[in-house]
Amino acid sequence: MKCVLAFAAIAALAAVGACNKNVKVKSQTDLNTVNACTKFEADVVVDGVSGIGALSLDNVEEITGQLIIQNMYDLQTVSLGALTSAGSFKVLNNTNVYKVDVPQLTSVDDFQIIVNPNLKELTYSNISSTTNFQIIGTHVSALGVFADSKPGNIEILSNTDLQKLDFSAVTETAGYINIANNGKNANVTFSSLTQVGGNVSFADAATLDISKLSSVKDDFSLYTNDFTNLTVPALSTADKSITISGNSFKAIAFPKLTEIGSSLNIVNNTNFKSISKTTFPKLGSVPGSIVLQGSFDNITFPSLKTVDGQVSLSGKGKLSCDDAEKALSAADNFDCSLETVDDSSDGGSEVSGGDDNESHDTSGAAAHTTVVAVIGGAIALVAACI
């Protein structure tokens, strides 16, 4: 009996020791060793192991280090039913995984679900603390509850079945927000967001709620969105550039914007014809350039006093270069190649409002190609890094 107890004690000590050493999984036996621990105080890396179709660590409640599951081409399901917190949880480049289940996970410093092209089911219930949150390159159709009011980064990219992106609990971020290339009718909600510590980019959304956003510490960009009226009612400062490109907007309004830290770019928004007195009513200075490209009939900046960089205008509409230059008299460096449509002609004859050389507007293809290239490049870079 004493021998049995002694062996049991030795086994218990061995199990404790196994719970605080990094594990590079090579077989199911290694997974069983990790699963014997309720708290694992080291890293677990499962990388390129063949023959494992289902990865289950349902006994583990906490991993203080990283859990990385990557390049697992036989893997189909991942289950960590009891896990509540982890230093990092990364599921990367697993081509056949269709289900990832972490229903109790609430605290995770780095959450990455990236390039799992057959992933359709992702279960998490109430993530309330995270520094980096990324879901990229999946077929998930729904997200779990995101309850962290002050996360670091948020990136939801190229999830083509995803229709609802609800981040209404977020009030500010320390880092960036990047939302792009999700479901065709994606509804994006950041209804409580007031401040973004990095750059912010929204693309390919059917609706967007950023009604309380007042400050962006880096670039602010809107690309190829599919709704008609853009209003950013609370934004007063953007520390770097504002870019609005390739959207379906008919009306744009930044009623409180007074300062831009760098440039203003409004490019190839086909249905947007007029920068009216309600578009940028309080914008007083632009220390960088202004680039306006499109079919403009009118341009008005009622409060603009200084433009330190070059103003560039191109496109075809009712607006003439002379009228544009008067509207942008705050700029010393002015370059205009607008083609002005003669309003009196039913046939839409054109007279040159700028340079004599014929100008062909190819900005639509360029803007679209740029966005696709950036998104594709981001996924490729992530895949390369893993």
Side-chain angles (χ1 to χ4, degrees):
M1 183 63 181
K2 290 181 179 180
C3 292
V4 172
L5 292 173
F7 281 124
I10 291 170
L13 288 171
V16 170
C19 295
N20 58 15
K21 294 181 180 179
N22 293 339
V23 172
K24 183 174 177 58
V25 172
K26 296 180 180 180
S27 66
Q28 183 63 47
T29 301
D30 295 327
L31 290 173
N32 294 341
T33 299
V34 174
N35 199 40
C37 309
T38 55
K39 181 178 182 179
F40 195 86
E41 298 180 274
D43 297 340
V44 181
V45 177
V46 191
D47 184 356
V49 182
S50 61
I52 297 177
L55 192 156
S56 176
L57 297 172
D58 286 329
N59 187 57
V60 181
E61 298 175 5
E62 180 180 359
I63 297 174
T64 60
Q66 301 185 86
L67 173 57
I68 302 173
I69 303 166
Q70 64 184 13
N71 304 318
M72 297 286 290
Y73 304 119
D74 294 332
L75 188 64
Q76 294 183 328
T77 63
V78 175
S79 177
L80 291 102
L83 186 70
T84 60
S85 67
S88 295
F89 180 67
K90 302 178 182 180
V91 182
L92 314 172
N93 195 33
N94 305 285
T95 55
N96 291 307
V97 166
Y98 67 85
K99 182 177 182 180
V100 174
D101 190 18
V102 281
Q104 306 300 320
L105 185 64
T106 59
S107 176
V108 54
D109 186 59
D110 190 1
F111 184 90
Q112 298 183 25
I113 309 294
I114 299 177
V115 192
N116 301 279
N118 286 301
L119 180 62
K120 295 184 177 181
E121 297 179 50
L122 173 61
T123 305
Y124 60 88
S125 61
N126 193 19
I127 291 180
S128 55
S129 178
T130 185
T131 301
N132 185 59
F133 187 81
Q134 295 174 284
I135 302 174
I136 300 173
T138 77
H139 278 283
V140 298
S141 58
L143 301 179
V145 175
F146 190 89
D148 190 356
S149 62
K150 297 180 179 181
N153 306 318
I154 297 175
E155 186 168 34
I156 312 296
L157 179 67
S158 297
N159 305 285
T160 54
D161 292 337
L162 187 59
Q163 303 294 324
K164 183 178 180 182
L165 292 81
D166 185 354
F167 291 90
S168 55
V170 178
T171 59
E172 63 182 75
T173 67
Y176 65 83
I177 297 174
N178 185 16
I179 309 294
N181 197 31
N182 295 297
K184 184 178 180 180
N185 297 309
N187 299 305
V188 180
T189 303
F190 282 84
S191 55
S192 301
L193 181 68
T194 60
Q195 179 175 303
V196 179
N199 63 282
V200 57
S201 179
F202 295 106
D204 311 302
T207 65
L208 173 64
D209 186 347
I210 48 173
S211 54
K212 294 183 179 179
L213 180 62
S214 61
S215 175
V216 177
K217 299 299 182 183
D218 208 299
D219 294 325
F220 176 54
S221 304
L222 294 150
Y223 292 107
T224 56
N225 291 287
D226 198 29
F227 52 97
T228 56
N229 295 318
L230 171 69
T231 302
V232 190
L235 187 68
S236 59
T237 58
D239 286 8
K240 292 191 178 179
S241 298
I242 291 180
T243 298
I244 303 171
S245 177
N247 301 281
S248 298
F249 306 151
K250 293 183 178 179
I252 296 172
F254 287 75
K256 292 187 177 181
L257 184 67
T258 58
E259 297 179 24
I260 294 175
S262 183
S263 62
L264 174 64
N265 309 289
I266 303 176
V267 177
N268 193 42
N269 304 283
T270 307
N271 298 321
F272 183 59
K273 307 291 186 181
S274 175
I275 299 176
S276 71
K277 63 183 180 180
T278 61
T279 304
F280 298 103
K282 295 184 178 181
L283 182 62
S285 65
V286 178
S289 62
I290 296 179
V291 177
L292 305 176
Q293 191 176 74
S295 303
F296 295 108
D297 297 334
N298 172 64
I299 290 177
T300 305
F301 288 88
S303 302
L304 191 62
K305 298 295 188 292
T306 59
V307 180
D308 294 337
Q310 184 181 58
V311 171
S312 300
L313 288 94
S314 62
K316 183 169 65 176
K318 296 178 182 178
L319 184 69
S320 70
C321 283
D322 287 343
D323 290 338
E325 189 167 5
K326 290 175 185 177
L328 291 159
S329 60
D332 292 328
N333 191 348
F334 190 82
D335 177 48
C336 183
S337 58
L338 290 171
E339 294 180 58
T340 305
V341 176
D342 187 350
D343 222 4
S344 64
S345 173
D346 292 336
S349 63
E350 300 167 10
V351 295
S352 175
D355 298 333
D356 290 336
N357 294 329
E358 185 178 2
S359 172
H360 296 278
D361 184 5
T362 59
S363 57
H368 179 71
T369 303
T370 301
V371 173
V372 173
V374 168
I375 292 170
I379 296 178
L381 180 59
V382 169
C385 291
I386 56 175

